[in-house]
Amino acid sequence: MEILKRDRSPLGDALALLVCGVLAGVLAAAAAFPLVGLAGMVAEDSVNSFESLPSELTKTSLPQTSYVYASDGKTLITSFYEENRREVTLDEVSPLMIEALLAAEDSKFYEHKGVDWAGIIRAAVANQGGDSQGASTLTMQFVRNTLIYSASTIDEVIEASEDTYDRKLREARYAMAIEESMSKDDILEGYLNVIYLGNQAYGVHAGSYSYFNKPPSELTLAEAATLASLPKFPSYADGLLDGEGDDGQILDRRDWIIQRMVDLGSITQAEADEAVEQPLGLDPRPVRSECVDVATPNWGFFCDFFKEWWGDQELFGETQRDRISLLKRGGYKIVTSLDPDLQNAATEKLADRVSVDNPATLGSVTITPGTGHVRAMAVNRVYSLDQTNNGPRTDGDDSKPSNYPNTTIPLLSGNERVIGYPAGSTFKMFTMLAALEEGWPLKTKIPSPGTYASRLYGDYTKQPSSCDFKRGDLYPWCPTNDGGWSSAPLNMWGMFGRSSNTAFVQLQELVGTSKAVDIAERSGITFYPNTGVGQAKENDNLDGYGTFTLGFDATTPMAMAEAYATVAAGGKHCDPLPVMQVINADGEEWVEASTPSCEQAYAEEVAYAAVSAGRCVVGQNPEGSQCSGNTAAAYTSDFGRPLFGKTGTSDSNRAYWFIASTPNATTATFVGDTDATYRANVASNDLKDAVKSTGTAILKTAVKDLDKKDWPKPTDAMSNGKNLVSIPSIGCEDPDSARSKVAGAGFEAAIAPGKFDSECEDGQAFSTSITGSAPKGSPIYILVSNGSDFKDEDDEDEDEPDDDASTPPDDRD
């Protein structure tokens, strides 16, 4: 029996599918708008019948990338983003890019009202035949992507992206409402900024740079079509930027879009033929992301300081989290103070002198006095999270990696966990500033013995630095000069130039440790709780803390550069500032965000007097100075500019410093061991030489293009004193009587603890802690004899020579 076959022509199938598609479209529309009906969809007041638009659609605020540049405003350091995006306007985008996207995604964009009903029917017919076609208009895609990127929870993301009829119908409703409230150009502009183009590129600006390293206004036809192929298929670009992956699919879709543009009349066939002959031509710009991905690894320490600074500024938000979120979403152009040439030159000098594989940390920070701008943060290390091949730790703690050669520890700027390195004699600057502020002039002369038995500072038990005798129940503290050298009394120029430990301990006794610490803090030094100063404060015994002036406390190169820059700027203290300009996403400068934070920490005349003493250190003796010591002159003799500075060796050579400054640049250079800051003998003679030579070279580089400036000479009051009061002389008398005499002259008189060698009888006052004259109200100590050199009359008679052996009176001196 012959089976009759039904004739099924292609036309019959198409008609059947068309009927099904039309019915599906009508049913979908009716379901979407049950109260309005199809006829009402074109009515002017139809939007009022839809559910209210979410605020994220009416007031879109997409996260944008913030770009961080060096001081030239062109050299990119890094970027911060949640999504790599930078918003653009339509006139910043090539017309070819716009035409390519419309050809690829929605050629009837300027004709429909947010929903392409004919497209829905066409897609339904195609899908009935087994194809997979979408019918989302560009407006609907804009709605979907905006809702996704504005979502704050996973549930909101799912709701905005799940493949359900409810989501698609909601999109259609929103799209039609959007078309009533926004212009076509505004919708298109929003779409260009919200689309995802693969490889973490959001929006056409990020895509243009990520794939072709150029602004979207400069895209060629082939490049525009390539980007236009990605919104629907971003996975096509996976691996391509790394030189991997298959570019066949992206080329096929690119060429299809180009031909589609011909069909729509956007370009000619000749232009299309030329474009499809072009290779993909990817030229990606590396996407810098935060500090571990900076353009040059040695810039990471500056970047880290910048991020820390941003997170601390209350101007940027209520909490640190809010501030960092603003940085990652705000779309700022931030021009920092980093001088890339100085930074690179400094890093090279340091690493050439001390290898990155050396456990000794050699670093330097350069700051601009009067603004606080941080120009360089260089160190013989690589800023990197990869510490798998680091060297062995010098403290023996193998539970964590060492800091060399790779680290992200803030070696130069520090924090509450990394408080720095012992400062050594660089802290003598603060004792001198305190003395000058209290009215002690530069000409003040103080003895500089090889060893000095402190009048104020001591221990109940014997310590290595104690004297080998007691005063009452106490062993006094006996600081010494390096090498045990001694000299006649030194004025402050000589004390600072020769860095006399014994003279400066006496000066600290005169002014009080608390005043020296106070002026250090005003200058920019932070003392953490576990430092000597911090513990002395906690014990309410700051004025009993003797070793302050010798720099037993830890500090950072950043803080020391900040403090000495305060001196160089005439006592004007400025917080370290890593930015020079902050420009928001609208191109407006946020002046308040980059304004230096400065205040007068102490009087100009005090600062310039300290500068005068500091010039002795570097071998300069300008008018108004009386130098007699130059611990760094061998390295600075040919500097060629006004300069002051200070060297500093910490106890047991744990660290070594050289801080130097011109009026417009201050550099703090040091060497120490970050893993074991307590380790002795880190600062070998060779490393001390490295600190002074590299510090000088870095400062020379820093000022080579700056104007040559000078400081004024110290005032007469600062050099010679003003309204000084004569200190009464004391000679072998009752201590209480001597104290009354000194107090009556206007001083804060007290009897010094313990007894001292003298020619007076045991228990008699024989002198004052300082002689000559002093500012009224100064603390003056009455020194009491221990009788060690006392000789009574009988002893003197026994010591006289016989008459026969005597020298004739005329021949005596």
Side-chain angles (χ1 to χ4, degrees), residues 191-206:
Y191 174 78
L192 288 169
N193 288 310
V194 78
I195 51 174
Y196 179 57
L197 298 173
N199 287 292
Q200 299 303 307
Y202 293 83
V204 70
H205 181 277

Side-chain angles (χ1 to χ4, degrees), residues 134-181:
S136 293
T137 63
L138 186 147
T139 309
M140 293 171 69
Q141 292 182 52
F142 168 66
V143 167
R144 183 188 318 133
N145 283 286
T146 301
L147 291 176
I148 290 172
Y149 298 139
S150 301
S152 57
T153 67
I154 293 297
D155 289 341
E156 289 177 358
V157 172
I158 294 173
E159 184 181 12
S161 58
E162 61 184 346
D163 189 16
T164 65
Y165 283 117
D166 286 343
R167 189 268 294 173
K168 294 176 181 178
L169 296 177
R170 185 170 58 252
E171 267 180 25
R173 289 197 296 269
Y174 287 160
M176 294 180 68
I178 283 287
E179 292 272 353
E180 294 287 337
S181 60

Side-chain angles (χ1 to χ4, degrees), residues 369-715:
T371 65
H373 285 132
V374 180
R375 294 180 57 198
M377 294 177 65
V379 65
N380 64 329
R381 294 291 183 266
V382 178
Y383 191 89
S384 174
L385 290 170
D386 181 8
Q387 293 150 28
T388 54
N389 295 317
N390 276 14
R393 289 184 64 91
T394 54
D395 61 358
D397 183 1
D398 295 330
S399 65
K400 49 190 174 183
S402 70
N403 77 88
Y404 66 98
N406 296 346
T407 188
T408 57
I409 296 173
L411 303 172
L412 303 171
S413 53
N415 53 31
E416 291 185 356
R417 298 178 302 279
V418 182
I419 62 175
Y421 316 84
S425 292
T426 58
F427 270 19
K428 289 173 182 172
M429 171 62 77
F430 309 122
T431 303
M432 181 169 64
L433 286 167
L436 291 166
E437 190 173 60
E438 288 295 302
W440 293 94
L442 286 166
K443 77 169 188 178
T444 300
K445 287 191 174 183
I446 297 179
S448 180
T451 300
Y452 169 68
S454 171
R455 292 185 294 271
L456 296 182
Y457 313 123
D459 299 290
Y460 285 97
T461 57
K462 188 84 167 68
Q463 301 292 327
S465 59
S466 299
C467 304
D468 56 6
F469 61 87
K470 284 186 177 181
R471 287 192 186 135
D473 294 330
L474 294 175
Y475 283 99
W477 177 41
C478 270
T480 62
N481 288 329
D482 187 21
W485 63 270
S486 62
S487 87
L490 296 170
N491 59 29
M492 288 193 203
W493 287 289
M495 289 165 56
F496 203 71
R498 297 190 66 176
S499 197
S500 171
N501 292 338
T502 58
F504 264 97
V505 169
Q506 293 174 77
L507 186 63
Q508 182 177 296
E509 290 177 335
L510 290 175
V511 300
T513 306
S514 58
K515 290 177 181 176
V517 169
D518 174 61
I519 210 163
E521 292 175 328
R522 280 185 272 154
S523 300
I525 303 296
T526 297
F527 296 101
Y528 292 100
N530 56 339
T531 62
V533 167
Q535 292 173 358
K537 284 183 176 181
E538 184 178 347
N539 297 329
D540 196 24
N541 186 35
L542 192 53
D543 279 322
Y545 179 52
T547 58
F548 169 78
T549 198
L550 303 187
F552 279 48
D553 287 83
T555 189
T556 64
M558 179 68 76
M560 290 309 296
E562 174 186 353
Y564 272 64
T566 302
V567 181
K572 180 182 179 182
H573 169 257
C574 299
D575 293 335
L577 181 63
V579 302
M580 301 181 71
Q581 202 174 32
V582 177
I583 300 170
N584 67 21
D586 295 326
E588 299 169 345
E589 183 174 357
W590 192 358
V591 176
E592 189 179 3
S594 59
T595 300
S597 176
C598 304
E599 62 181 0
Q600 197 69 30
Y602 41 84
E604 283 188 350
E605 64 175 2
V606 170
Y608 294 142
V611 166
S612 180
R615 298 186 74 168
C616 296
V617 174
V618 296
Q620 296 186 0
N621 192 6
E623 182 184 2
S625 299
Q626 301 172 26
C627 297
S628 61
N630 46 44
T631 55
Y635 298 84
T636 58
S637 58
D638 63 346
F639 195 84
R641 286 175 179 248
L643 180 71
F644 83 93
K646 185 71 184 78
T647 57
T649 308
S650 74
D651 60 303
S652 303
N653 288 310
R654 293 187 293 148
Y656 185 77
W657 298 77
F658 178 47
I659 306 167
S661 183
T662 69
N664 44 15
T666 304
T667 297
T669 308
F670 85 106
V671 69
D673 186 341
T674 304
D675 288 346
T677 57
Y678 56 82
R679 185 163 68 91
N681 299 318
V682 174
S684 63
N685 288 334
D686 180 65
L687 290 183
K688 290 179 181 179
D689 177 82
V691 169
K692 286 181 282 195
S693 61
T694 56
T696 302
I698 290 169
L699 186 57
K700 273 188 177 181
T701 303
V703 301
K704 68 177 181 179
D705 295 324
L706 303 180
D707 293 338
K708 188 174 181 179
K709 297 182 179 181
D710 201 352
W711 296 279
K713 70 177 184 179
T715 64

Side-chain angles (χ1 to χ4, degrees), residues 323-399:
R323 299 160 198 160
I324 297 301
S325 178
L326 178 68
L327 176 63
K328 292 182 177 183
R329 296 174 60 90
Y332 294 103
K333 176 183 178 181
I334 300 162
V335 179
T336 70
S337 55
L338 181 71
D339 181 334
D341 293 335
L342 176 61
Q343 173 73 21
N344 292 340
T347 301
E348 184 177 350
K349 294 178 192 300
L350 295 167
D352 283 350
R353 190 60 194 267
V354 178
S355 166
V356 297
D357 293 315
N358 192 316
T361 306
L362 179 66
S364 184
V365 172
T366 302
I367 281 181
T368 301
T371 65
H373 285 132
V374 180
R375 294 180 57 198
M377 294 177 65
V379 65
N380 64 329
R381 294 291 183 266
V382 178
Y383 191 89
S384 174
L385 290 170
D386 181 8
Q387 293 150 28
T388 54
N389 295 317
N390 276 14
R393 289 184 64 91
T394 54
D395 61 358
D397 183 1
D398 295 330
S399 65

